[in-house]
Amino acid sequence: MENRLYKRDIISIADFDRKDLELVLETAAQLKNSPRPDLLQGKVIASCFFEASTRTRLSFETAVQRLGGTLIGFSDAGNTSAKKGETLADSVNIISSYTDAFVMRHPQEGSARLASEFSSVPVINGGDGSNQHPTQTLLDLFSIRECQGKLDGLKVAFVGDLKYGRTVHSLAQALCHFGAEFTFIAPKALAMPDYILEELDEKGIKYRFSDSIEETAPQVDIIYMTRVQKERFDETEYKHIASKYILDVESLKDAKENLKVLHPLPRVDEIAVEVDKTPYAYYFQQAENGVYARQALLALVLNEVV
Ligand code: CP
């Protein structure tokens, strides 16, 4: 398969066509089965997290080390010259001159695209505000394919914060390449943005709205849960909304046999811990798959042939 990702910036999932996605997923599957500690030999990767992260940062850093590369970077921009007023553009310009690839998370929408304009090496977006989280989507697709045995023609429900949840925007866009059908379950204040719905309309993708996880579970292959962020509501409103969008064992009583529940994590209360023991829970395997998906992406961006 031609590697069109070589030397590319990875900013948005919209930059990937179906072939690119399949190449990453195939490479991730190979790396999961057969480790390759040679693919980043001699490469230095910057891991610069201007915003908190557990899974994205640590799985990227694990991926680099498992492929034989080395890391520089930070997990707290408060310890960098950003604190003295250095612009993102200047920071990226300098750090990229030390490295072979630049992995970044930043709270500002559009920051990854901006970084790519000032970086001398490929930039990989680890999440830019509420905008995009393309590498999460790669591991989500990998996990969906792994647990369903295919990606084409699946029925997927997204639940929770569909407005600010960058992972659902990226995943919905990517699943359009595979003819998915969607159900959206969200409070009005956190509904899927119009620009995503317009994209689905343009591509002829079917979607519906529901306000019940229980009624939706028997009809879908994947339930993709997200966290409703407390800080966006007053306390009474939050309690009302959060209690309505909790997935518990009862809400899965009529679920399809092949249903799997995914969540980008961290979760707060939106998936009851009892669900963890059911055959539907797949979110911990999903988080582990972050290492393989990110290994694949780094390997493809930094090697013409993998
Ligand atoms: N899923 C995800 O992005 O998790 P972190 O915020 O812990 O990186």
Side-chain angles (χ1 to χ4, degrees):
M1 253 191 263
E2 186 197 359
N3 177 11
R4 296 191 329 126
L5 300 174
Y6 181 50
K7 293 189 176 170
R8 274 230 329 246
D9 297 309
I10 307 298
I11 306 300
S12 165
I13 207 69
D15 301 335
F16 287 72
D17 66 15
R18 180 176 169 134
K19 277 195 171 153
D20 298 332
L21 294 172
E22 284 173 341
L23 177 62
V24 177
L25 303 187
E26 235 3 90
T27 308
Q30 283 165 17
L31 291 169
K32 189 166 182 174
N33 285 329
S34 325
R36 290 276 308 273
D38 56 319
L39 284 169
L40 292 188
Q41 207 81 55
K43 306 282 188 201
V44 179
I45 312 300
S47 166
C48 297
F49 280 68
F50 294 82
E51 192 187 52
S53 167
T54 299
R55 279 147 291 272
T56 308
R57 183 174 70 82
L58 295 177
S59 63
F60 256 122
E61 295 185 359
T62 303
V64 169
Q65 296 188 55
R66 290 212 192 282
L67 294 176
T70 52
L71 286 152
I72 63 164
F74 51 84
S75 57
D76 177 3
N79 289 327
T80 72
S81 287
K83 202 161 180 203
K84 302 175 203 156
E86 184 167 65
T87 62
L88 179 62
D90 281 357
S91 298
V92 171
N93 189 339
I94 302 304
I95 297 167
S96 69
S97 74
Y98 303 152
T99 59
D100 297 288
F102 188 93
V103 177
M104 182 182 91
R105 172 173 285 186
H106 195 283
Q108 195 66 45
E109 289 82 12
S111 53
R113 186 77 67 196
L114 184 136
S116 70
E117 284 163 23
F118 292 91
S119 175
S120 53
V121 298
V123 170
I124 300 180
N125 182 5
D128 62 328
S130 62
N131 186 33
Q132 281 275 329
H133 195 352
T135 66
Q136 176 71 42
T137 302
L138 296 173
L139 76 93
D140 291 344
L141 291 174
F142 182 76
S143 302
I144 293 171
R145 193 175 80 151
E146 186 175 71
C147 68
Q148 299 293 335
K150 62 173 189 173
L151 275 175
D152 281 300
L154 294 172
K155 294 190 172 153
V156 179
F158 289 102
V159 183
D161 180 354
L162 310 189
K163 181 173 181 181
Y164 300 103
R166 56 193 170 199
T167 62
V168 297
H169 305 161
S170 303
L171 183 56
Q173 287 172 314
L175 283 169
C176 288
H177 293 293
F178 302 94
E181 282 182 33
F182 300 123
T183 302
F184 300 127
I185 305 177
K188 266 203 179 76
L190 297 177
M192 196 62 131
D194 285 343
Y195 82 92
I196 298 279
L197 299 182
E198 283 158 18
E199 270 187 52
L200 301 185
D201 289 336
E202 276 164 27
K203 291 175 180 158
I205 299 292
K206 288 189 200 155
Y207 60 88
R208 58 188 279 274
F209 301 94
S210 169
D211 63 0
S212 166
I213 299 175
E214 193 172 331
E215 282 170 27
T216 301
Q219 302 167 31
V220 296
D221 306 297
I222 297 287
I223 294 181
Y224 194 94
M225 296 295 296
T226 63
R227 178 172 57 98
V228 173
Q229 293 171 40
K230 206 171 181 172
E231 59 274 22
R232 302 202 186 275
F233 300 92
D234 69 38
E235 193 151 343
T236 319
E237 201 182 0
Y238 171 75
K239 277 188 185 150
H240 173 70
I241 285 174
S243 66
K244 209 169 159 188
Y245 297 94
I246 288 178
L247 187 145
D248 55 17
V249 172
E250 176 65 15
S251 57
L252 293 171
K253 67 180 185 332
D254 297 321
K256 279 177 77 176
E257 207 176 312
N258 67 312
L259 173 83
K260 293 290 181 226
V261 177
L262 300 184
H263 190 311
L265 305 178
R267 75 170 150 187
V268 184
D269 297 319
E270 60 278 6
I271 302 178
V273 289
E274 290 76 22
V275 176
D276 299 358
K277 298 188 196 78
T278 71
Y280 304 115
Y282 210 71
Y283 27 92
F284 296 126
Q285 292 96 320
Q286 177 190 5
E288 184 195 329
N289 283 336
V291 173
Y292 308 114
R294 290 176 173 123
Q295 277 187 4
L297 187 64
L298 286 161
L300 290 162
V301 167
L302 290 168
N303 296 277
E304 195 165 4
V305 179
V306 173

